[in-house]
Amino acid sequence: MNNPELTTYEKYVNPLQAKLLKANGVEKTFIKAEGHTLTYKNAKGETGSIIDCLCGYGSLMFGHNHPRIHDTVKDFLNNKTPIHTQFAPRPITARLAERLSGLAEKYLDEDYVVRFANSGAEAVDLAIKHAEFQRVLKVQELTKKLDQKFNDLEARWNDGEVEIPGELFAETELREQIFADTLTPGELRGYISRLNSVALSSRPIIFALKKAFHGKSVAAAQMTHNETFRRAFLYFGMQTVFIDHEDLSEIEFIMDEVSQTFYDFVINKKTNQISLVEKDYPAYTAAIIEPIQGEGGIHAIPGSTLRDFRNICDHKNFPLIFDEIQCGMGRSGTLFACQPHDVAPDMVLFAKSIGGGVAKNAAVLIKRANYEDAFGIIHSSTFAEDELSASVALTVFDMLEEDEGAAYERATELGNRLMEGFRELSRKYPGTIKEVRGIGLMIGVEFFQDVDADSAVVRLVSHHNRLGYSLFSYLQEVQGIRAVPTASAPSTLRLEPGVTLTDDEVDTIIQGFEGLCKTLYYQDSYQLLQHVGNQDRSSRDHKIRDYRRDEVKQKRAHYKEKSRVGVPKIGFIAHVMDPVNISDNDPALERLTNEERAGIYNANNVTIMCNAPSVPKRITASFGKEVDVQFYILSRTASQVLGDLNGPGLDDLREAIYDTALQAKKDGCTAFGLGMFTSVVTNNGKALPRVPGMPYTSGNALTTGMGFKAMQEATEKTGKQLDGCTAAVVGGAGNIGQVYSALLAERVAHLMLVGSGRAGSVKRLSRAYHRVYETLIETIRKEGKESLSGLALDVANLTSVQDFIAELGDKDMPKNTGKDVATLIQQEFGTDPFVTVTDSLATIASADIVVCAASASEPFVGSDIVKHEAVVVDIGVPLNAKQDVKDRHDVTYMQGGLAKLPFQQEMTETVKNLPHGTVYGCVAETMLMGLSGSGRNFSFGDITRKQVKEVTALAESYGFAATVPQTRGL
Ligand code: F0G
């Protein structure tokens, strides 16, 4: 049951985010917020509440809807106080600025003016604009002064007071180009301008830190480290250098590399001698730092680093900006996060909590000594300095500062209690929490991502760096705690509650996290998934059970032990067959109903993900050769994949398959098998871009070859000879069906090609019918008739056919060969006695062998039309034969295309639900590509009878065999 409000949000606001919420099973909307309690209503109309620790991305230092802030807003509105009086003094804004400036004086011992903005990113823009404006003014000052000197010099030179020696440039890059002993003032101006053009045309540099987040406006995004947010906008041209805060030598190195010189000159008043002067050019706009990084995963920058930056900025004369949008406003236990470190920046930024949870506001404090008055016009905004926001902010500062800063102390106390609780959990449930970081109410709990976890769910999300989103979903939906990871630190849950959080709430939060840690510790993925795609939670089983097996890790250790160089590895991609199979590799999920399993897949329709590659399985073949097999499983079901085939998702699906092939290449694979429907949706590999050194195969040749062999042997076991049998191919128009028909035509007495009865099926079948004769003539010409029996031998013995072949001589086979031979036979016999084409399924009642090769979504071949003691080979996906055929004791039924591994080796622990010692023919064919190291595609696009024979022979030479049912009715 979907939440209609989320659907509207998806359609009109943010489709991707809505889909991600759905995929993670978090669909509820919130209808009331008070303190840290969010009340929700779910799709069934039921209400409930959760504890919010996301708190407006850390913008609610006093929780949601604090009564004092409400009173401030109500009074303001009741008094009809002007909110917008642009171009007039704004008394409340002025008071707020005075207050903030006073607080900065008190805590940072520095005098600032305050400018306002509407959001964090806008505050960042404002600050960087001011810094760059200041830098450009410095450059202008340099060039203006130089220009004045040129004029002055020219006047004096005209009066014969000074001489300009060419030697002036002896130490510069121009030394090779100036030969004159003396220069004119115009020449001097030209040469110096040329030297200065290098500095003047250079782009300024901004220094920021790795893991930094400063917002997503065009400018702020350029200073945000996560490439996802900034890559597309690099051409806008800002130049940010990201420094590792643990290694500031980098910044010195960069400064050495990019430092620029500005040339100027002086005239000695006494001697009238002129000399060149080199000055440092202002090449840096600013350095911007979050004293405690937030979005990057909660990382406190050491005070010593902040002070080092202060020294660098002082030394090179460019401003230091502290972005305290997230860590400031008391969150870290002091008003300014930088306060304890005894360092005052040139600018400090506040946003988020300054709005008291109701207003959008931001403040930029700029050192008065640096502030450029002209900037008052350079930068402004309609809504900045609105009086309502200022009024709210004044109340917020009252609340922070009163009772001798009790709020700051509470932030520290609450933060410590929470962090102690989390650290205790990390000791109690080892392997779950990796690190607890934070200061005050800025807390990050980082979890281990584990691609070798027992839970397939944990492996999948860890492999895709998305563990945190599953944990968020579980915490919110099951434990009623809201803590979300960030895009830049997806395995860290961030908690930024406000100081009004109660002690009881702290206990509940820790209890909720305990449930999470226990779930992870016991690998109970049922708990992680039970709510996804299933809004009805009444049937939930909350008991966390122990599913630890240490299976994958042991396999990995075992594989490492025996891994040696030189063993080729192949990759094989497959998908989940049916939602039911989700529990095949994750027993915890057996507790989900079939409906719930389907719901999970339907909900997760956003991105196509491939699980972490399986631990390779080593298979030994004949000649002592070995090959490692590594599986890649797409988290999509057969019906989703087929849906993609005929829908808009086809390109995405192919891209996901191609990406997996690239991944397999990176993982060292030398061949790539397209399993299950991945071969169908890629036209057996042809629709995929190729990967160098990585041939593809659909595995269809060996699947067909092994199936055919098994059928042959099974028929002989029933006491019949193939050359006395009638065989029917149902759905013979497809590639595999056609190849089966061609192979059968070489053996059986009579062949029937049976259509599906759908429009055009007889036409498609007639093409397959002609192909049977075409292939037969080709075989007779190339190989003679020795190996033939049944109808093939009868046809080869016809005089008309022998004449036809004789007439061809050495020529290439004409295009219509199949059709011509069919016509010859029809003319000779009236109707074709060897091969029958029919649209009537009932005719299979006379067939001793039935090959089912139709693409149909439901089984349709029933027991009533299957002959007594028939051999039925079902290669349809999904299967064509109904259950009653499989149940018949006289019928030998087999699923076509399995291969027996050499030396009775087992793969059933990797590929489930197969008879012991067997594997799918397509997997075996991929192994053969690895074993033979041929480097070429095997089954690629349509396969031929010849390929089937070659690959089957190769398989046999490596010790693979066909699997023949031991008893009827297998
Ligand atoms: N600077 C810092 C340090 C921030 O944390 C944020 C936003 C901004 C600037 C931009 O502020 O969103 O008001 O434009 N941080 C949020 C977060 C989005 O998830 O950490 P904005």
Side-chain angles (χ1 to χ4, degrees):
M1 202 192 297
N2 279 342
N3 174 353
E5 284 162 338
L6 182 59
T7 307
T8 311
Y9 182 82
E10 175 173 356
K11 183 163 180 198
Y12 295 105
V13 188
N14 190 339
L16 176 65
Q17 190 172 66
K19 285 195 180 92
L20 287 171
L21 288 175
K22 278 186 188 167
N24 282 297
V26 279
E27 302 205 11
K28 46 175 71 106
T29 31
F30 296 106
I31 52 170
K32 194 168 176 205
E34 231 177 336
H36 289 82
T37 305
L38 280 175
T39 306
Y40 61 78
K41 192 179 72 185
N42 68 17
K44 284 171 94 185
E46 300 156 341
T47 56
S49 70
I50 61 163
I51 300 180
D52 188 14
C53 294
L54 172 62
C55 286
Y57 291 144
S59 59
L60 304 173
M61 268 301 280
F62 294 96
H64 290 274
N65 290 315
H66 193 283
R68 258 176 88 180
I69 291 170
H70 270 217
D71 287 346
T72 303
V73 176
K74 281 186 217 153
D75 289 350
F76 188 99
L77 296 176
N78 287 340
N79 292 333
K80 303 220 164 30
T81 323
I83 301 178
H84 298 299
T85 54
Q86 284 84 346
F87 217 68
R90 311 214 193 164
I92 309 174
T93 301
R95 257 197 301 153
L96 170 62
E98 185 183 26
R99 181 86 198 267
L100 245 173
S101 189
L103 289 170
E105 181 97 49
K106 170 176 161 190
Y107 291 124
L108 301 180
D109 197 17
E110 191 66 69
D111 186 17
Y112 297 89
V113 293
V114 188
R115 295 290 313 268
F116 293 95
N118 306 290
S119 69
E122 211 184 294
V124 170
D125 280 17
L126 192 158
I128 213 73
K129 262 178 93 179
H130 187 271
E132 176 61 6
F133 183 59
Q134 237 188 332
R135 188 193 73 86
V136 169
L137 287 180
K138 278 186 213 151
V139 173
Q140 282 173 359
E141 190 62 20
L142 284 174
T143 53
K144 195 169 128 197
K145 285 234 169 83
L146 182 60
D147 199 50
Q148 285 170 1
K149 281 186 181 173
F150 280 134
N151 287 339
D152 186 52
L153 173 76
E154 193 171 334
R156 292 169 70 175
W157 186 81
N158 287 342
D159 294 346
E161 284 176 31
V162 286
E163 225 178 47
I164 309 169
E167 237 167 60
L168 270 186
F169 292 94
E171 304 288 312
T172 73
E173 286 160 30
L174 297 179
R175 69 184 150 310
E176 309 286 343
Q177 294 165 41
I178 300 172
F179 305 106
D181 289 342
T182 61
L183 305 172
T184 65
E187 284 167 335
L188 180 75
R189 196 190 280 255
Y191 290 133
I192 290 186
S193 301
R194 243 169 85 186
L195 287 175
N196 284 343
S197 66
V198 178
L200 286 170
S201 61
S202 65
R203 278 195 299 155
I205 289 176
I206 297 160
F207 293 104
L209 293 185
K210 292 188 175 154
K211 299 200 173 89
F213 185 93
H214 297 293
K216 293 184 184 170
S217 66
V218 170
Q222 297 293 322
M223 293 168 255
T224 289
H225 187 232
N226 188 332
E227 275 192 29
T228 311
F229 303 144
R230 86 187 138 85
R231 193 190 299 121
F233 313 103
L234 285 179
Y235 295 108
F236 280 165
M238 277 176 61
Q239 202 176 191
T240 307
V241 175
F242 292 96
I243 305 288
D244 181 346
H245 81 261
E246 285 175 353
D247 181 15
L248 293 196
S249 64
E250 216 176 327
I251 195 169
E252 308 277 354
F253 174 77
I254 287 160
M255 286 182 160
D256 280 348
E257 287 283 293
V258 303
S259 74
Q260 304 278 0
T261 305
F262 187 81
Y263 288 89
D264 196 348
F265 65 92
V266 288
I267 307 171
N268 187 309
K269 288 253 161 63
K270 284 185 198 143
T271 60
N272 276 342
Q273 290 285 321
I274 176 169
S275 49
L276 272 192
V277 179
E278 291 179 35
K279 291 181 171 170
D280 267 353
Y281 178 79
Y284 315 108
T285 302
I288 182 164
I289 296 173
E290 300 155 85
I292 307 167
Q293 296 181 321
E295 202 272 349
I298 312 293
H299 299 278
I301 306 302
S304 58
T305 308
L306 300 179
R307 287 190 292 275
D308 286 345
F309 263 99
R310 179 71 276 174
N311 289 336
I312 292 168
C313 291
D314 286 344
H315 182 58
K316 293 285 179 182
N317 196 20
F318 63 93
L320 177 62
I321 305 169
F322 283 170
D323 176 349
E324 298 213 359
I325 286 166
Q326 191 166 144
C327 59
M329 296 294 299
R331 182 161 293 285
S332 69
T334 48
L335 178 62
F336 295 91
C338 65
Q339 218 168 292
H341 305 303
D342 200 23
V343 45
D346 299 286
M347 294 186 232
V348 199
L349 321 181
F350 279 161
K352 297 201 190 254
S353 284
I354 199 174
V358 298
K360 298 168 178 177
N361 197 1
V364 179
L365 284 74
I366 306 175
K367 223 188 237 183
R368 184 179 302 281
N370 290 351
Y371 185 67
E372 298 292 344
D373 287 353
F375 194 68
I377 292 178
I378 297 279
H379 189 89
S380 64
S381 147
T382 301
F383 289 135
E385 300 183 17
D386 84 87
E387 295 275 273
L388 177 60
S389 301
S391 170
V392 167
L394 278 170
T395 302
V396 171
F397 285 111
D398 284 345
M399 289 163 77
L400 283 171
E401 285 287 305
E402 67 198 8
D403 297 333
E404 292 163 2
Y408 305 128
E409 268 174 40
R410 180 73 178 152
T412 304
E413 183 198 328
L414 280 169
N416 287 344
R417 280 196 50 198
L418 282 167
M419 286 190 280
E420 270 162 32
F422 297 142
R423 290 196 176 110
E424 179 62 37
L425 292 177
S426 82
R427 285 187 287 272
K428 190 165 169 192
Y429 301 99
T432 57
I433 294 179
K434 188 174 175 189
E435 194 180 15
V436 178
R437 294 185 293 266
I439 296 182
L441 288 173
M442 219 175 150
I443 301 170
V445 185
E446 183 175 353
F447 286 82
F448 282 105
Q449 306 211 70
D450 186 357
V451 291
D452 284 337
D454 281 322
S455 153
V457 179
V458 174
R459 289 203 299 275
L460 176 72
V461 290
S462 296
H463 181 58
H464 289 275
N465 212 1
R466 287 185 185 200
L467 175 70
Y469 295 97
S470 297
L471 305 186
F472 147 64
S473 150
Y474 167 83
L475 262 182
Q476 172 165 310
E477 300 299 307
V478 181
Q479 299 289 351
I481 311 290
R482 190 166 162 78
V484 183
T486 62
S488 303
S491 57
T492 300
L493 294 178
R494 186 168 54 159
L495 293 94
E496 300 193 314
V499 289
T500 54
L501 191 74
T502 64
D503 292 339
D504 284 348
E505 283 168 334
V506 170
D507 293 340
T508 312
I509 293 168
I510 292 170
Q511 271 165 26
F513 268 76
E514 170 141 26
L516 173 63
C517 290
K518 202 168 163 186
T519 295
L520 277 178
Y521 184 71
Y522 288 126
Q523 295 283 292
D524 187 351
S525 21
Y526 167 76
Q527 300 296 341
L528 291 180
L529 283 190
Q530 54 164 313
H531 55 283
V532 178
N534 165 36
Q535 291 293 307
D536 178 13
R537 286 123 201 237
S538 44
S539 60
R540 264 193 195 152
D541 168 9
H542 284 302
K543 190 166 164 35
I544 300 168
R545 300 198 182 156
D546 189 355
Y547 292 96
R548 287 170 301 166
R549 290 164 291 159
D550 215 24
E551 195 177 284
V552 184
K553 286 193 179 69
Q554 274 179 23
K555 268 193 208 167
R556 177 83 62 202
H558 182 63
Y559 174 72
K560 266 193 190 143
E561 253 169 49
K562 62 174 200 174
S563 82
R564 305 189 238 113
V565 273
V567 175
K569 184 156 68 176
I570 59 109
F572 190 86
I573 186 170
H575 51 80
V576 179
M577 205 56 214
D578 186 272
V580 174
N581 299 107
I582 190 177
S583 59
D584 284 357
N585 293 308
D586 201 335
L589 300 178
E590 281 165 12
R591 285 155 77 195
L592 292 167
T593 64
N594 285 354
E595 211 179 21
E596 286 166 337
R597 297 176 197 206
I600 288 167
Y601 280 97
N602 288 335
N604 195 353
N605 231 341
V606 199
T607 43
I608 306 168
M609 300 201 291
C610 194
N611 209 336
S614 66
V615 177
K617 165 86 184 167
R618 177 151 308 164
I619 294 295
T620 307
S622 307
F623 322 123
K625 281 211 169 185
E626 292 173 318
V627 63
D628 284 345
V629 188
Q630 186 159 305
F631 287 88
Y632 297 82
I633 309 293
L634 287 175
S635 58
R636 230 156 159 70
T637 63
S639 70
Q640 283 178 324
V641 172
L642 280 189
D644 288 336
L645 179 61
N646 302 310
L650 183 60
D651 286 347
D652 284 349
L653 179 62
R654 286 179 176 170
E655 198 168 314
I657 297 169
Y658 175 64
D659 286 346
T660 309
L662 287 175
Q663 178 65 46
K665 163 104 183 171
K666 236 187 249 161
D667 294 342
C669 296
T670 54
F672 193 62
L674 298 161
M676 297 183 177
F677 294 170
T678 64
S679 54
V680 180
V681 296
T682 59
N683 295 345
N684 295 320
K686 286 217 144 163
L688 286 183
R690 302 275 298 278
V691 179
M694 180 88 139
Y696 295 143
T697 186
S698 68
N700 283 346
L702 194 60
T703 304
T704 309
M706 287 298 174
F708 190 78
K709 283 228 162 235
M711 179 208 71
Q712 229 173 329
E713 285 181 40
T715 309
E716 275 155 21
K717 270 196 181 167
T718 63
K720 291 179 199 138
Q721 290 301 315
L722 275 179
D723 57 9
C725 287
T726 292
V729 180
V730 181
N735 179 227
I736 294 189
Q738 279 190 21
V739 175
Y740 259 100
S741 303
L743 291 167
L744 283 165
E746 292 177 9
R747 294 275 165 279
V748 296
H750 186 93
L751 180 64
M752 297 194 290
L753 304 180
V754 188
S756 62
R758 274 178 307 193
S761 77
V762 171
K763 191 163 172 229
R764 282 195 300 275
L765 272 183
S766 73
R767 239 178 274 139
Y769 167 56
H770 297 150
R771 276 288 296 278
V772 168
Y773 282 119
E774 185 185 316
T775 314
L776 190 53
I777 300 300
E778 203 178 355
T779 310
I780 299 169
R781 284 180 81 199
K782 287 204 181 127
E783 300 168 20
K785 52 187 188 184
E786 284 75 58
S787 63
L788 304 178
S789 61
L791 75 92
L793 192 59
D794 293 344
V795 172
N797 286 335
L798 290 176
T799 327
S800 53
V801 170
Q802 283 170 358
D803 290 349
F804 182 91
I805 292 174
E807 210 165 294
L808 281 181
D810 290 343
K811 279 185 279 180
D812 282 350
M813 297 242 294
K815 224 171 125 219
N816 281 338
T817 301
K819 196 174 177 184
D820 293 346
V821 172
T823 312
L824 270 181
I825 290 171
Q826 282 161 15
Q827 280 166 357
E828 191 166 341
F829 294 92
T831 48
D832 186 334
F834 309 112
V835 185
T836 317
V837 177
T838 168
D839 221 5
S840 153
L841 189 62
T843 53
I844 70 169
S846 62
D848 308 291
I849 298 165
V850 181
V851 176
C852 300
S855 311
S857 54
E858 296 281 325
F860 63 97
V861 176
S863 166
D864 52 332
I865 48 168
V866 173
K867 190 176 172 182
H868 184 67
E869 292 195 345
V871 172
V872 178
V873 186
D874 198 345
I875 55 172
V877 267
L879 295 170
N880 291 166
K882 292 186 187 168
Q883 188 59 39
D884 57 5
V885 177
K886 302 177 197 176
D887 292 343
R888 278 254 303 264
H889 288 294
D890 63 309
V891 167
T892 309
Y893 174 84
M894 62 185 122
Q895 203 178 321
L898 298 182
K900 220 186 287 169
L901 291 162
F903 309 121
Q904 277 142 19
Q905 289 166 99
E906 275 294 342
M907 272 194 87
T908 37
E909 87 283 10
T910 325
V911 186
K912 311 264 166 174
N913 307 326
L914 286 184
H916 279 298
T918 65
V919 73
Y920 290 108
C922 46
V923 178
E925 184 171 321
T926 318
M927 290 181 191
L928 286 179
M929 287 168 85
L931 285 166
S932 69
S934 86
R936 64 186 171 85
N937 297 319
F938 273 31
S939 301
F940 185 64
D942 280 354
I943 52 161
T944 61
R945 159 196 164 279
K946 188 165 161 254
Q947 260 175 312
V948 171
K949 291 195 163 176
E950 278 170 11
V951 174
T952 309
L954 187 68
E956 283 171 345
S957 78
Y958 276 107
F960 293 84
T963 63
V964 185
Q966 293 306 306
T967 54
R968 291 189 186 154
L970 174 95

